[in-house]
Amino acid sequence: MENKSYWTEQPESFNQYYANSKLPVIKAFVSKFLCTRTNILMQLMQPENNKILLDVGCGSGIHMEIAIPRFKRVAGLDISNSMLTEARNRLSKFP
């Protein structure tokens, strides 16, 4: 299964490429894309404090970080243990 190996073997480089890109235009584009996508998802989900969110394919936890204050509980799943570690680190500031 080629797709699985891509997502399990390269998550650090994937995350670092976008987070630390030396090309400001790439970083700006990705940042705008992620913010727009997250805002659309939040509108579609109609978050409420009594709902539970499961983020399948949570990656580094970008969507979960925004969702946590809006939902009763948020959980994430990902095929990559490395990306789950990234998500845990990103979300460690939340109780």
Side-chain angles (χ1 to χ4, degrees):
M1 177 182 231
E2 289 180 32
N3 289 338
K4 182 179 178 183
S5 66
Y6 173 80
W7 289 110
T8 56
E9 294 173 8
Q10 300 190 16
E12 293 89 0
S13 61
F14 177 80
N15 202 35
Q16 291 299 319
Y17 176 77
Y18 292 109
N20 300 319
S21 178
K22 294 180 181 172
L23 298 172
V25 76
I26 290 176
K27 194 170 187 173
F29 173 78
V30 170
S31 179
K32 184 173 181 173
F33 169 75
L34 291 174
C35 286
T36 301
R37 183 175 69 175
T38 301
N39 289 334
I40 290 169
L41 286 171
M42 289 299 138
Q43 289 173 4
L44 291 172
M45 288 188 287
Q46 301 174 354
E48 296 175 17
N49 288 336
N50 63 346
K51 290 185 178 179
I52 297 171
L53 172 69
L54 174 60
D55 186 353
V56 178
C58 67
S60 62
I62 291 170
H63 296 303
M64 291 171 47
E65 184 174 32
I66 294 167
I68 285 173
R70 300 175 184 190
F71 286 86
K72 178 180 179 180
R73 183 167 172 88
V74 175
L77 297 174
D78 201 280
I79 196 169
S80 167
N81 286 330
S82 296
M83 288 304 260
L84 288 171
T85 299
E86 291 282 334
R88 282 187 200 101
N89 290 338
R90 175 187 293 273
L91 304 173
S92 65
K93 61 188 171 200
F94 295 100

